[in-house]
mmCIF file of all heavy atoms in Angstrom:
data_model
loop_
_atom_site.group_PDB
_atom_site.id
_atom_site.type_symbol
_atom_site.label_atom_id
_atom_site.label_comp_id
_atom_site.label_asym_id
_atom_site.label_seq_id
_atom_site.Cartn_x
_atom_site.Cartn_y
_atom_site.Cartn_z
ATOM 1 N N VAL N 1 51.962 -13.180 39.061
ATOM 2 C CA VAL N 1 53.491 -13.386 39.256
ATOM 3 C C VAL N 1 53.650 -13.588 40.725
ATOM 4 O O VAL N 1 53.528 -12.606 41.472
ATOM 5 C CB VAL N 1 54.230 -12.189 38.667
ATOM 6 C CG1 VAL N 1 55.774 -12.509 38.890
ATOM 7 C CG2 VAL N 1 53.893 -12.000 37.195
ATOM 8 N N LEU N 2 53.758 -14.844 41.158
ATOM 9 C CA LEU N 2 53.887 -15.107 42.545
ATOM 10 C C LEU N 2 55.287 -14.935 43.095
ATOM 11 O O LEU N 2 56.270 -14.958 42.311
ATOM 12 C CB LEU N 2 53.396 -16.583 42.780
ATOM 13 C CG LEU N 2 52.019 -16.920 42.335
ATOM 14 C CD1 LEU N 2 51.541 -18.260 42.695
ATOM 15 C CD2 LEU N 2 50.910 -15.949 43.110
ATOM 16 N N GLN N 3 55.324 -14.882 44.366
ATOM 17 C CA GLN N 3 56.661 -14.608 45.055
ATOM 18 C C GLN N 3 57.581 -15.771 44.753
ATOM 19 O O GLN N 3 58.825 -15.579 44.609
ATOM 20 C CB GLN N 3 56.434 -14.393 46.539
ATOM 21 C CG GLN N 3 57.557 -13.994 47.229
ATOM 22 C CD GLN N 3 57.292 -13.607 48.713
ATOM 23 O OE1 GLN N 3 56.347 -14.149 49.339
ATOM 24 N NE2 GLN N 3 57.958 -12.661 49.382
ATOM 25 N N ASP N 4 57.132 -17.011 44.935
ATOM 26 C CA ASP N 4 57.917 -18.197 44.695
ATOM 27 C C ASP N 4 57.882 -18.577 43.172
ATOM 28 O O ASP N 4 56.953 -19.255 42.847
ATOM 29 C CB ASP N 4 57.438 -19.448 45.514
ATOM 30 C CG ASP N 4 58.278 -20.577 45.425
ATOM 31 O OD1 ASP N 4 59.435 -20.462 44.966
ATOM 32 O OD2 ASP N 4 57.888 -21.716 45.790
ATOM 33 N N VAL N 5 58.809 -18.050 42.429
ATOM 34 C CA VAL N 5 58.811 -18.275 40.990
ATOM 35 C C VAL N 5 59.156 -19.771 40.657
ATOM 36 O O VAL N 5 60.210 -20.272 41.188
ATOM 37 C CB VAL N 5 59.807 -17.250 40.244
ATOM 38 C CG1 VAL N 5 59.871 -17.707 38.865
ATOM 39 C CG2 VAL N 5 59.432 -15.899 40.518
ATOM 40 N N PHE N 6 58.287 -20.382 39.912
ATOM 41 C CA PHE N 6 58.646 -21.764 39.467
ATOM 42 C C PHE N 6 58.776 -21.767 37.905
ATOM 43 O O PHE N 6 57.899 -21.304 37.102
ATOM 44 C CB PHE N 6 57.489 -22.676 39.835
ATOM 45 C CG PHE N 6 57.788 -24.190 39.508
ATOM 46 C CD1 PHE N 6 58.369 -24.950 40.482
ATOM 47 C CD2 PHE N 6 57.496 -24.636 38.268
ATOM 48 C CE1 PHE N 6 58.646 -26.299 40.185
ATOM 49 C CE2 PHE N 6 57.877 -25.990 37.940
ATOM 50 C CZ PHE N 6 58.390 -26.751 38.929
ATOM 51 N N LEU N 7 59.936 -22.239 37.416
ATOM 52 C CA LEU N 7 60.228 -22.462 36.060
ATOM 53 C C LEU N 7 60.328 -23.921 35.802
ATOM 54 O O LEU N 7 60.897 -24.650 36.589
ATOM 55 C CB LEU N 7 61.399 -21.744 35.628
ATOM 56 C CG LEU N 7 61.358 -20.169 35.689
ATOM 57 C CD1 LEU N 7 62.598 -19.514 35.161
ATOM 58 C CD2 LEU N 7 60.154 -19.570 35.066
ATOM 59 N N PHE N 8 59.825 -24.359 34.633
ATOM 60 C CA PHE N 8 60.053 -25.749 34.315
ATOM 61 C C PHE N 8 61.350 -26.115 33.623
ATOM 62 O O PHE N 8 61.924 -25.202 33.096
ATOM 63 C CB PHE N 8 58.796 -26.202 33.281
ATOM 64 C CG PHE N 8 57.487 -26.118 33.900
ATOM 65 C CD1 PHE N 8 56.776 -24.982 33.850
ATOM 66 C CD2 PHE N 8 56.893 -27.234 34.567
ATOM 67 C CE1 PHE N 8 55.479 -24.846 34.470
ATOM 68 C CE2 PHE N 8 55.710 -27.151 35.246
ATOM 69 C CZ PHE N 8 55.026 -26.028 35.107
ATOM 70 N N ASN N 9 61.696 -27.387 33.657
ATOM 71 C CA ASN N 9 62.994 -27.770 33.043
ATOM 72 C C ASN N 9 62.731 -27.874 31.609
ATOM 73 O O ASN N 9 62.581 -28.956 30.984
ATOM 74 C CB ASN N 9 63.315 -29.120 33.613
ATOM 75 C CG ASN N 9 64.685 -29.661 33.127
ATOM 76 O OD1 ASN N 9 65.500 -28.823 32.608
ATOM 77 N ND2 ASN N 9 65.008 -30.846 33.111
ATOM 78 N N ALA N 10 62.807 -26.687 30.901
ATOM 79 C CA ALA N 10 62.480 -26.602 29.557
ATOM 80 C C ALA N 10 63.299 -25.340 29.033
ATOM 81 O O ALA N 10 64.003 -24.661 29.818
ATOM 82 C CB ALA N 10 60.982 -26.335 29.254
ATOM 83 N N THR N 11 63.054 -24.949 27.801
ATOM 84 C CA THR N 11 63.738 -23.750 27.158
ATOM 85 C C THR N 11 63.049 -22.493 27.721
ATOM 86 O O THR N 11 61.925 -22.493 28.241
ATOM 87 C CB THR N 11 63.657 -23.731 25.681
ATOM 88 O OG1 THR N 11 62.234 -23.666 25.360
ATOM 89 C CG2 THR N 11 64.380 -24.998 25.168
ATOM 90 N N LEU N 12 63.833 -21.437 27.591
ATOM 91 C CA LEU N 12 63.178 -20.067 28.078
ATOM 92 C C LEU N 12 61.964 -19.793 27.160
ATOM 93 O O LEU N 12 60.961 -19.285 27.752
ATOM 94 C CB LEU N 12 64.228 -19.013 27.715
ATOM 95 C CG LEU N 12 65.274 -18.648 28.882
ATOM 96 C CD1 LEU N 12 66.279 -17.669 28.334
ATOM 97 C CD2 LEU N 12 64.507 -18.086 30.001
ATOM 98 N N ARG N 13 62.049 -20.170 25.915
ATOM 99 C CA ARG N 13 60.937 -19.826 25.030
ATOM 100 C C ARG N 13 59.638 -20.701 25.561
ATOM 101 O O ARG N 13 58.517 -20.053 25.635
ATOM 102 C CB ARG N 13 61.179 -20.230 23.593
ATOM 103 C CG ARG N 13 60.016 -20.046 22.664
ATOM 104 C CD ARG N 13 60.422 -20.581 21.249
ATOM 105 N NE ARG N 13 61.185 -19.563 20.518
ATOM 106 C CZ ARG N 13 62.538 -19.684 20.370
ATOM 107 N NH1 ARG N 13 63.110 -20.721 20.916
ATOM 108 N NH2 ARG N 13 63.226 -18.790 19.806
ATOM 109 N N GLU N 14 59.853 -21.904 25.851
ATOM 110 C CA GLU N 14 58.652 -22.732 26.371
ATOM 111 C C GLU N 14 58.218 -22.246 27.657
ATOM 112 O O GLU N 14 56.947 -22.315 27.981
ATOM 113 C CB GLU N 14 59.165 -24.171 26.412
ATOM 114 C CG GLU N 14 59.444 -24.774 25.016
ATOM 115 C CD GLU N 14 60.098 -26.186 25.167
ATOM 116 O OE1 GLU N 14 60.887 -26.369 26.128
ATOM 117 O OE2 GLU N 14 60.001 -26.999 24.323
ATOM 118 N N ASN N 15 59.096 -21.748 28.575
ATOM 119 C CA ASN N 15 58.630 -21.227 29.854
ATOM 120 C C ASN N 15 57.725 -19.965 29.714
ATOM 121 O O ASN N 15 56.765 -19.810 30.337
ATOM 122 C CB ASN N 15 59.813 -21.005 30.758
ATOM 123 C CG ASN N 15 60.199 -22.233 31.632
ATOM 124 O OD1 ASN N 15 59.478 -22.486 32.524
ATOM 125 N ND2 ASN N 15 61.288 -22.913 31.268
ATOM 126 N N ILE N 16 58.232 -19.100 28.793
ATOM 127 C CA ILE N 16 57.447 -17.836 28.569
ATOM 128 C C ILE N 16 56.087 -18.143 27.941
ATOM 129 O O ILE N 16 55.108 -17.553 28.331
ATOM 130 C CB ILE N 16 58.400 -16.922 27.649
ATOM 131 C CG1 ILE N 16 59.601 -16.449 28.345
ATOM 132 C CG2 ILE N 16 57.382 -15.731 27.239
ATOM 133 C CD1 ILE N 16 60.466 -15.610 27.466
ATOM 134 N N ALA N 17 56.054 -19.150 27.028
ATOM 135 C CA ALA N 17 54.855 -19.451 26.311
ATOM 136 C C ALA N 17 53.923 -20.426 27.043
ATOM 137 O O ALA N 17 52.956 -20.955 26.466
ATOM 138 C CB ALA N 17 55.151 -20.031 24.931
ATOM 139 N N TYR N 18 54.347 -20.791 28.322
ATOM 140 C CA TYR N 18 53.633 -21.858 28.947
ATOM 141 C C TYR N 18 52.047 -21.579 29.107
ATOM 142 O O TYR N 18 51.307 -22.573 28.969
ATOM 143 C CB TYR N 18 54.207 -22.031 30.432
ATOM 144 C CG TYR N 18 53.625 -23.196 31.170
ATOM 145 C CD1 TYR N 18 53.965 -24.599 30.906
ATOM 146 C CD2 TYR N 18 52.577 -22.997 32.114
ATOM 147 C CE1 TYR N 18 53.435 -25.612 31.466
ATOM 148 C CE2 TYR N 18 52.136 -23.999 32.906
ATOM 149 C CZ TYR N 18 52.471 -25.294 32.539
ATOM 150 O OH TYR N 18 51.889 -26.410 33.245
ATOM 151 N N GLY N 19 51.667 -20.412 29.350
ATOM 152 C CA GLY N 19 50.280 -20.086 29.567
ATOM 153 C C GLY N 19 49.443 -20.003 28.392
ATOM 154 O O GLY N 19 48.123 -20.019 28.351
ATOM 155 N N VAL N 20 50.092 -19.870 27.212
ATOM 156 C CA VAL N 20 49.326 -19.649 25.918
ATOM 157 C C VAL N 20 49.914 -20.696 24.864
ATOM 158 O O VAL N 20 50.940 -20.605 24.378
ATOM 159 C CB VAL N 20 49.661 -18.240 25.361
ATOM 160 C CG1 VAL N 20 48.796 -18.048 24.126
ATOM 161 C CG2 VAL N 20 49.142 -17.280 26.494
ATOM 162 N N ALA N 21 49.142 -21.691 24.666
ATOM 163 C CA ALA N 21 49.599 -22.919 23.817
ATOM 164 C C ALA N 21 49.909 -22.426 22.397
ATOM 165 O O ALA N 21 50.838 -22.990 21.794
ATOM 166 C CB ALA N 21 48.562 -23.917 23.876
ATOM 167 N N ASN N 22 49.130 -21.645 21.900
ATOM 168 C CA ASN N 22 49.355 -21.238 20.386
ATOM 169 C C ASN N 22 50.064 -19.905 20.291
ATOM 170 O O ASN N 22 49.861 -19.148 19.285
ATOM 171 C CB ASN N 22 47.995 -21.156 19.814
ATOM 172 C CG ASN N 22 46.934 -20.243 20.408
ATOM 173 O OD1 ASN N 22 47.298 -19.715 21.486
ATOM 174 N ND2 ASN N 22 45.822 -20.030 19.693
ATOM 175 N N ALA N 23 50.846 -19.467 21.182
ATOM 176 C CA ALA N 23 51.474 -18.175 21.089
ATOM 177 C C ALA N 23 52.459 -18.102 19.920
ATOM 178 O O ALA N 23 53.242 -19.074 19.686
ATOM 179 C CB ALA N 23 52.316 -17.921 22.426
ATOM 180 N N THR N 24 52.509 -17.069 19.216
ATOM 181 C CA THR N 24 53.348 -16.880 18.118
ATOM 182 C C THR N 24 54.772 -16.419 18.598
ATOM 183 O O THR N 24 54.916 -15.936 19.697
ATOM 184 C CB THR N 24 52.847 -15.891 17.141
ATOM 185 O OG1 THR N 24 52.811 -14.584 17.789
ATOM 186 C CG2 THR N 24 51.440 -16.234 16.638
ATOM 187 N N GLU N 25 55.752 -16.598 17.680
ATOM 188 C CA GLU N 25 57.097 -16.078 17.992
ATOM 189 C C GLU N 25 57.133 -14.597 18.328
ATOM 190 O O GLU N 25 57.833 -14.184 19.202
ATOM 191 C CB GLU N 25 58.072 -16.447 16.891
ATOM 192 C CG GLU N 25 59.463 -16.170 17.229
ATOM 193 C CD GLU N 25 60.152 -17.217 18.138
ATOM 194 O OE1 GLU N 25 59.457 -18.180 18.389
ATOM 195 O OE2 GLU N 25 61.237 -16.994 18.595
ATOM 196 N N GLU N 26 56.448 -13.808 17.603
ATOM 197 C CA GLU N 26 56.263 -12.416 17.847
ATOM 198 C C GLU N 26 55.767 -11.988 19.091
ATOM 199 O O GLU N 26 56.241 -11.092 19.737
ATOM 200 C CB GLU N 26 55.434 -11.742 16.624
ATOM 201 C CG GLU N 26 55.999 -11.843 15.301
ATOM 202 C CD GLU N 26 55.929 -13.183 14.643
ATOM 203 O OE1 GLU N 26 55.158 -14.007 15.146
ATOM 204 O OE2 GLU N 26 56.726 -13.381 13.632
ATOM 205 N N GLN N 27 54.649 -12.687 19.522
ATOM 206 C CA GLN N 27 54.082 -12.511 20.808
ATOM 207 C C GLN N 27 55.021 -12.794 21.970
ATOM 208 O O GLN N 27 55.071 -12.028 22.966
ATOM 209 C CB GLN N 27 52.751 -13.317 20.966
ATOM 210 C CG GLN N 27 51.661 -12.862 20.170
ATOM 211 C CD GLN N 27 50.433 -13.824 20.192
ATOM 212 O OE1 GLN N 27 50.638 -14.916 20.202
ATOM 213 N NE2 GLN N 27 49.218 -13.294 20.058
ATOM 214 N N ILE N 28 55.790 -13.870 21.825
ATOM 215 C CA ILE N 28 56.736 -14.303 22.855
ATOM 216 C C ILE N 28 57.817 -13.273 22.957
ATOM 217 O O ILE N 28 58.285 -12.842 24.094
ATOM 218 C CB ILE N 28 57.301 -15.633 22.511
ATOM 219 C CG1 ILE N 28 56.187 -16.818 22.588
ATOM 220 C CG2 ILE N 28 58.428 -16.094 23.434
ATOM 221 C CD1 ILE N 28 56.643 -18.084 22.089
ATOM 222 N N MET N 29 58.374 -12.842 21.775
ATOM 223 C CA MET N 29 59.353 -11.822 21.858
ATOM 224 C C MET N 29 58.956 -10.513 22.459
ATOM 225 O O MET N 29 59.627 -9.881 23.137
ATOM 226 C CB MET N 29 59.889 -11.669 20.358
ATOM 227 C CG MET N 29 60.682 -12.750 19.756
ATOM 228 S SD MET N 29 62.038 -13.368 20.715
ATOM 229 C CE MET N 29 61.443 -14.925 21.487
#
């Protein structure tokens, strides 16, 4: 978690799941 936070122009869900391609909804929540 770096000091300069970068988020992509996408949904919150997609930003949270960015590092894990096959993340389930339960894991994201």
Side-chain angles (χ1 to χ4, degrees):
V1 180
L2 299 178
Q3 191 174 28
D4 183 18
V5 175
F6 184 93
L7 299 183
F8 293 91
N9 186 20
T11 64
L12 272 172
R13 178 183 284 101
E14 290 168 334
N15 270 286
I16 294 172
Y18 183 75
V20 182
N22 57 350
T24 65
E25 186 73 10
E26 291 76 15
Q27 291 172 325
I28 295 172
M29 295 301 108

